[in-house]
Amino acid sequence: MKRGLILLLTGCMAVGVHPARAQQQTYTMAQATNGLRADLAPERLKQFEWVPGENAYTRAVLAGGQQVWVKYTVLGGKALPKTDTLLTLNTLSQQLSSKTPLRGLPPLHWIDNTHAWCSIGNDLYSGTVENRTIQFSKWCALPADAENVTVNPKSRNIAYTVKNNLFLRAADGQEQPITQDADINIVNGKSVHREEFGIDKGIFFSPNGDLVAFYRMDQRMVNDYPVIDWSVVPAHANIIKYPMAGGKSHEVTLGVYQPSTRKTVFLKTTGEADHYLTCVTWAPDQQSVYVALLNRDQNHLWLNQYSATTGELIKTLFEETDPKYVHPSHPLTFVPGKPDQFIWWSDRDGYTHLYLYNTAGQLLKQLTKGDWVVNELQGFHTAGNEVIITAAKESPMEKHAYAVNLKSAALRRLDQAAGWHDVQVSSQGDYILDSYSSGDVPSSAIITGLNGKYAETILKSADPLKNFKRPEIRQVTLKADDGTPLYGKLILPVDFDSTRQYPVIVYLYNGPNVQLIKNTFPYSGNLWYEYMAQRGYIVFTMDGRGSANRGMAFEQATFRQLGTVEMNDQLQGVAYLKSLSYVNQQKMGVHGWSFGGFMTTSLMLRHPGVFQAAVAGGPVIDWSMYEVMYTERYMDTPQQNPEGYANSNLLTKTKNLKGHLMLIHGTNDDVVVWQHSINFLRACVDNGVQVDYFVYPGHLHNVLGKDRVHLMQKITDYFDARLK
């Protein structure tokens, strides 16, 4: 019986830098792996933040050999901004009486235009602007184990968690325990629902900062799951709560704490105990809280308003249903100066768009419409009665900034250049920062006046890759079996010769909420692709149905059958590759991480023989072992959809393997737990199938530096040995 080969990552290999002539440099593995975070990163703005109440912003810049906070006041017209040096790194170290010099400026957070704060560890410092400079002093020291620190700039109250409980430090310095749950499986003030539904926090200050809403998650009913820490001897089992598809899920409620009375009221979110609570939003008058209540089936949503004083349901503003799933991910956004109007995000017409409602629950206007999605709501241009958004209107591969009139729904584009744009709106809504990149623009930042009369480029970075030997990249558009356009990129080997044949690596993800094909820098999307092109590979990557930014029909095509429609699309890519005379059809590899690892393994087992070699990182092997919220949205429960789960279960298909497959898994992975790969190895051994196995003693999402270099070198060596 054949057994799997187990490779244990225990050390890091040295990577040398070899000099090369200008325009002819090739990447080292360190550069290909970490370069865009290090020496090959384009210059970008550091610590940009608009100053409240002014047409001004601050940045951290280098001046005189040290970091400096500089304030820039936009004067408009043709005048250059007025600059004030607020503080140098050396001066900040002196003000804070640091025993050791600070290595860099911490992020600067503005409270108002004359007060700011920063933190170093769990020590917080407050600053006051006087005579165009800023003076810092100690504000407070939070407990060493404090997490989820949330500062409200209006009240200067600070909320934070210690272990499973929530605490408040009032502006007068008084410490108040908001919760005192002895059971560690009742968790307060932290993000819930495995951070699905756009949830990234569990603390919600009221507009004036004098009340605190917070999540309370009871997970006592969820199964225990051991995550083993192998870095100590003997190894230690960290017991977590992991709700798997079809099993018991946690139960979440929302509390409202009143510091003046030290009392908490819990909203009476009646219904299923294991429903989902998201889109938490305070009413501007602080008298009520809005919550989107979603049933566990995720196909019925109620937008409810609750009293912040009694917790009673005031009313249901409206409901949304979908035969597959509703996916709320954004809180309400109230219109400035109109406390009875808010903007709601919805996919109800097939694309993510914005809708203007009043607090009676009446739809006033659909603000955006078309066969494209809104990506972000960034702020308001009050003078123009406009909301500022980013959207994929021009192309799913680009993101641009727009202003939408709240009365007429008229749309106007705010940027000029092709590419992927991110914007930040000034506090008064007169200017935006437009930061973008594209295939030929490494990084650029422009301050733009929303009246159309001001534009100033404040950063245009040099090309950090200009001296490297880079591949030709071709945009590819294919069609799915139903005629849907599919966008991809073909990266050709350097010194490409169309009369030769080359090995191919298909890199994929193809899962929900992720998009690989964008017009960003570098245009390849990843320097490891370019590294492989320098080594004589063709690299192909494509977003199939199920991936992000193309609307609900595109995303929901995979509903209840993960790993079927997506693979059909990727096989369209394979057919395209095989049609190219310069592709060696006998030397084709496939590689992906997480959902891409599931796709990679699925292709090797459900379509054996297409690829000769594959590397699957952190793959889901059996969806019944993955977390409730994500899996049940796209697959329903195993009880409701046994056929879909059986078809996607790779444990039953190991005997189909042809070619070489290496699995990589992190032993501490608490998202795709290690048991997926362990069970897969057992099934391979039982069927006499050989697979290669590469273990990382940690979490793959946290692999950085030399460990990451070592990991990518192993993957490259694996493909080299089997495809070259």
Side-chain angles (χ1 to χ4, degrees):
M1 180 181 293
K2 296 179 180 178
R3 295 186 179 272
L5 172 64
I6 300 180
L7 303 175
L8 180 63
L9 179 59
T10 57
C12 305
M13 63 184 299
V15 178
V17 177
H18 304 285
R21 292 175 297 169
Q23 303 295 334
Q24 296 299 312
Q25 290 185 24
T26 56
Y27 301 113
T28 65
M29 180 58 77
Q31 290 172 323
T33 302
N34 298 321
L36 290 178
R37 300 180 184 88
D39 58 314
L40 299 183
E43 182 186 2
R44 292 185 174 89
L45 295 181
K46 294 180 175 62
Q47 297 190 27
F48 181 97
E49 188 163 333
W50 289 105
V51 178
E54 295 184 19
N55 289 323
Y57 58 90
T58 51
R59 291 171 55 191
V61 301
L62 282 176
Q66 65 172 316
Q67 289 185 338
V68 179
W69 280 320
V70 178
K71 177 182 176 182
Y72 301 82
T73 302
V74 182
L75 301 177
K78 296 182 179 180
L80 294 174
K82 184 183 74 173
T83 62
D84 296 309
T85 298
L86 295 179
L87 202 63
T88 68
L89 178 60
N90 291 342
T91 304
L92 179 63
S93 292
Q94 294 170 7
Q95 290 182 4
L96 304 188
S97 302
S98 300
K99 295 180 180 178
T100 57
L102 298 175
R103 299 180 62 181
L105 288 173
L108 178 68
H109 307 286
W110 288 98
I111 294 174
D112 54 40
N113 63 345
T114 58
H115 297 90
W117 68 277
C118 67
S119 62
I120 299 172
N122 279 353
D123 291 335
L124 274 60
Y125 300 86
S126 60
T128 301
V129 177
E130 295 179 355
N131 299 320
R132 297 163 65 178
T133 62
I134 189 166
Q135 176 71 42
F136 276 92
S137 60
K138 187 70 169 286
W139 182 359
C140 65
L142 299 180
D145 53 354
E147 298 178 310
N148 303 295
V149 176
T150 305
V151 176
N152 182 268
K154 279 196 174 181
S155 65
R156 305 198 186 187
N157 288 336
I158 304 169
Y160 59 91
T161 63
V162 174
K163 296 180 180 177
N164 63 309
N165 281 304
L166 177 62
F167 298 84
L168 180 75
R169 185 189 188 277
D172 61 6
Q174 290 189 30
E175 300 280 348
Q176 301 180 19
I178 296 178
T179 66
Q180 301 182 67
D181 284 302
D183 193 320
I184 62 171
N185 291 309
I186 299 176
V187 181
N188 299 281
K190 297 185 180 182
S191 58
V192 299
H193 304 322
R194 304 285 293 182
E195 298 196 332
E196 294 291 330
F197 315 109
I199 297 170
D200 60 1
K201 63 181 181 179
I203 298 170
F204 308 88
F205 272 110
S206 62
N208 292 331
D210 52 346
L211 302 172
V212 184
F214 62 94
Y215 279 130
R216 179 185 189 270
M217 177 172 63
D218 184 348
Q219 52 184 3
R220 290 174 293 182
M221 67 293 298
V222 177
N223 286 333
D224 290 342
Y225 195 92
V227 176
I228 309 300
D229 180 2
W230 297 92
S231 67
V232 295
V233 178
H236 174 71
N238 296 309
I239 305 301
I240 67 170
K241 293 291 188 176
Y242 192 100
M244 292 185 179
K248 286 282 189 180
S249 185
H250 55 233
E251 299 174 3
V252 173
T253 52
L254 196 82
V256 176
Y257 179 71
Q258 169 61 265
S260 62
T261 63
R262 302 200 174 192
K263 300 291 185 182
T264 296
V265 171
F266 283 92
L267 306 188
K268 297 178 181 179
T269 49
T270 57
E272 302 170 335
D274 58 357
H275 54 206
Y276 304 120
L277 305 182
T278 187
C279 307
V280 176
T281 311
W282 277 95
D285 64 3
Q286 304 194 145
Q287 297 303 303
S288 60
V289 179
Y290 296 86
V291 180
L293 191 153
L294 183 68
N295 66 337
R296 177 158 169 178
D297 279 343
Q298 302 188 45
N299 56 15
H300 195 148
L301 175 147
W302 295 261
L303 181 62
N304 290 343
Q305 182 185 19
Y306 298 90
S307 167
T309 304
T310 67
E312 296 286 346
L313 173 67
I314 297 174
K315 63 176 176 291
T316 296
L317 280 75
F318 55 79
E319 302 176 35
E320 286 195 9
T321 61
D322 186 276
K324 295 179 180 177
Y325 55 83
V326 182
H327 193 188
S329 301
H330 302 276
L332 287 64
T333 303
F334 279 88
V335 177
K338 295 183 178 179
D340 62 339
Q341 292 185 12
F342 64 88
I343 295 173
W344 174 252
W345 297 67
S346 177
D347 301 305
R348 65 184 61 162
D349 73 352
Y351 293 87
T352 306
H353 283 299
L354 304 182
Y355 297 79
L356 183 64
Y357 274 88
N358 64 23
T359 51
Q362 297 173 319
L363 176 62
L364 303 179
K365 188 178 299 294
Q366 182 172 352
L367 294 174
T368 61
K369 190 173 185 178
D371 296 346
W372 46 272
V373 304
V374 174
N375 299 121
E376 294 133 347
L377 191 164
Q378 298 290 41
F380 291 89
H381 177 213
T382 306
N385 195 32
E386 295 172 313
V387 58
I388 309 303
I389 67 169
T390 59
K393 183 177 182 298
E394 314 302 321
S395 163
M397 293 172 287
E398 298 202 346
K399 184 174 72 170
H400 293 281
Y402 302 87
V404 184
N405 189 277
L406 291 167
K407 183 177 181 180
S408 67
L411 185 87
R412 64 186 179 103
R413 183 169 155 183
L414 300 177
D415 60 57
Q416 303 296 323
W420 197 267
H421 294 252
D422 291 292
V423 301
Q424 296 180 47
V425 184
S426 67
S427 62
Q428 295 182 317
D430 296 326
Y431 297 90
I432 62 169
L433 168 71
D434 171 19
S435 302
Y436 75 96
S437 78
S438 65
D440 55 3
V441 177
S443 179
S444 185
I446 303 170
I447 301 294
T448 301
L450 292 183
N451 62 5
K453 298 179 181 180
Y454 182 84
E456 180 205 4
T457 299
I458 61 174
L459 174 71
K460 189 170 185 179
S461 66
D463 184 355
L465 308 179
K466 65 181 181 180
N467 293 328
F468 286 86
K469 198 172 187 178
R470 303 186 65 199
E472 177 188 351
I473 302 167
R474 296 178 181 175
Q475 183 69 43
V476 175
T477 302
L478 305 177
K479 287 189 176 180
D481 50 28
D482 66 353
T484 302
L486 305 173
Y487 302 123
K489 289 179 182 177
L490 185 72
I491 302 169
L492 297 173
V494 297
D495 299 323
F496 173 66
D497 180 352
S498 62
T499 66
R500 291 181 54 194
Q501 286 196 326
Y502 298 91
V504 175
I505 294 174
V506 174
Y507 182 86
L508 48 73
Y509 184 87
N510 212 151
N513 308 313
V514 171
Q515 179 184 8
L516 296 179
I517 307 302
K518 302 176 182 178
N519 183 13
T520 57
F521 183 88
Y523 192 57
S524 62
N526 189 311
L527 292 189
W528 183 76
Y529 303 164
E530 298 191 20
Y531 175 85
M532 298 304 279
Q534 290 175 346
R535 296 174 60 80
Y537 287 91
I538 294 171
V539 179
F540 178 76
T541 182
M542 184 179 71
D543 289 321
R545 286 171 294 176
S547 53
N549 216 28
R550 296 285 302 276
M552 294 305 287
F554 193 85
E555 178 180 297
Q556 292 183 336
T558 65
F559 183 63
R560 289 172 64 94
Q561 52 180 341
L562 291 180
T564 300
V565 173
E566 310 98 308
M567 281 197 295
N568 293 341
D569 289 354
Q570 293 298 328
L571 291 173
Q572 295 283 6
V574 171
Y576 163 72
L577 291 169
K578 288 184 174 180
S579 74
L580 303 174
S581 61
Y582 44 83
V583 166
N584 187 337
Q585 299 183 25
Q586 306 307 313
K587 299 289 185 180
M588 300 184 71
V590 59
H591 175 38
W593 296 95
S594 193
F595 195 98
F598 161 70
M599 286 288 294
T600 295
T601 313
S602 298
L603 284 164
M604 294 299 286
L605 301 182
R606 298 182 69 177
H607 296 275
V610 173
F611 295 98
Q612 288 72 48
V615 178
V620 173
I621 298 297
D622 177 359
W623 284 104
S624 69
M625 290 171 50
Y626 196 62
E627 59 191 32
V628 164
M629 301 84 195
Y630 182 101
T631 308
E632 293 183 4
R633 180 184 313 128
Y634 303 115
M635 288 286 283
D636 283 336
T637 67
Q639 297 86 349
Q640 295 167 324
N641 182 23
E643 182 179 357
Y645 278 83
N647 288 340
S648 64
N649 188 344
L650 303 180
L651 296 175
T652 62
K653 301 173 178 62
T654 56
K655 61 182 180 296
N656 299 337
L657 179 64
K658 293 181 181 179
H660 302 276
L661 170 63
M662 180 166 73
L663 266 64
I664 304 172
H665 219 113
T667 60
N668 290 6
D669 196 332
D670 58 357
V671 180
V672 183
V673 294
W674 191 19
Q675 191 173 3
H676 284 271
S677 291
I678 294 296
N679 288 355
F680 186 81
L681 281 179
R682 182 183 297 115
C684 288
V685 170
D686 290 345
N687 285 286
V689 174
Q690 178 174 326
V691 295
D692 301 319
Y693 194 37
F694 187 37
V695 181
Y696 177 74
H699 199 307
L700 286 173
H701 289 143
N702 300 327
V703 183
L704 298 171
K706 292 181 179 179
D707 277 0
R708 188 175 181 86
V709 173
H710 188 198
L711 182 61
M712 295 309 298
Q713 187 65 58
K714 281 291 184 185
I715 295 171
T716 302
D717 291 345
Y718 191 82
F719 282 125
D720 282 352
R722 290 153 183 84
L723 298 181
K724 295 190 78 173

